[in-house]
Amino acid sequence: MRRLLSAVTALTVLSAQPVLAERQCASLSDQSAFELQALRSELMVLATGCHEDARYNAFIRRYQPDLQANERMISSYFRHRYGRAGQTEHDRFVTELANAMSRQGSDMGADFCPHNGMMFNEVLALQSSAELQDYVAGKNLIPASIEVCTPMTASAATVHREKARGRVRAKGKQITRR
């Protein structure tokens, strides 16, 4: 009987812990940044589609410093990864993310607002920024159709390394910046 009670207790404790979303990035900080961006996008779609502007604005005001820092981190990621095309790729990512979230909402139909509207209650009930990070880590908000932290192709990685070293190729000639 004790074994059964111990097993039930262990299962209860384990099931009460949040399940981590599928990790796609090598860096935990990059993963967290993309997850927070996905939450922001999800809440924006909820606000627009479910007339929840006041609660969206409350979320933005409450976590504004965290959201701004997250935006800087995402921008840095795209600049580092894509160089001059970083802003374009960042904009493309944000648009694709919002469109994917919107499609998911459309697929749910009339169930979307009641089902996902509770998310506002959850995030507004959090006590700190640390809890917000834990919250997004426990959700699986990044749609499967959106790739984040994908490995660079070999040719893109070579170009990136050469730029970082200050060497670029122009029409077959190697130029070293000084």
Side-chain angles (χ1 to χ4, degrees):
M1 184 65 172
R2 255 183 224 184
R3 282 187 169 166
L4 178 62
L5 185 57
S6 295
V8 169
T9 302
L11 285 173
T12 303
V13 169
L14 289 174
S15 66
Q17 294 178 354
V19 176
L20 296 179
E22 183 180 335
R23 187 166 168 191
Q24 298 176 10
C25 302
S27 160
L28 188 56
S29 64
D30 287 346
Q31 182 72 31
S32 293
F34 281 106
E35 288 168 351
L36 186 54
Q37 183 68 40
L39 173 66
R40 184 177 184 174
S41 186
E42 175 78 17
L43 293 178
M44 180 194 61
V45 169
L46 276 166
T48 304
C50 304
H51 310 290
E52 293 282 3
D53 296 347
R55 294 203 302 168
Y56 179 74
N57 290 336
F59 165 74
I60 294 296
R61 279 191 306 275
R62 182 167 187 182
Y63 295 107
Q64 188 170 15
D66 302 292
L67 296 171
Q68 288 173 334
N70 193 70
E71 185 64 24
R72 286 189 299 275
M73 183 177 267
I74 294 276
S75 291
S76 175
Y77 173 87
F78 280 97
R79 266 193 321 276
H80 174 75
R81 182 164 173 105
Y82 296 102
R84 288 185 186 158
Q87 186 61 53
T88 301
E89 292 301 318
H90 180 190
D91 293 344
R92 183 186 333 262
F93 168 76
V94 170
T95 301
E96 288 176 0
L97 182 61
N99 288 341
M101 298 285 191
S102 184
R103 276 190 303 277
Q104 286 178 346
S106 294
D107 291 347
M108 290 181 76
D111 291 334
F112 177 68
C113 293
H115 183 265
N116 291 12
M118 294 303 293
M119 200 175 294
F120 278 116
N121 295 342
E122 294 168 359
V123 297
L124 292 173
L126 299 173
Q127 300 300 311
S128 69
S129 300
E131 285 185 10
L132 180 63
Q133 291 298 328
D134 291 342
Y135 177 81
V136 297
K139 296 285 185 179
N140 196 10
L141 294 173
I142 302 171
S145 62
I146 303 296
E147 292 184 2
V148 297
C149 299
T150 55
M152 281 189 189
T153 62
S155 61
T158 301
V159 168
H160 186 71
R161 270 195 310 276
E162 292 298 314
K163 284 183 181 179
R165 291 181 184 148
R167 297 185 302 236
V168 293
R169 295 194 185 274
K171 296 184 181 180
K173 296 179 183 176
Q174 183 169 327
I175 301 169
T176 304
R177 291 188 207 153
R178 295 183 191 219

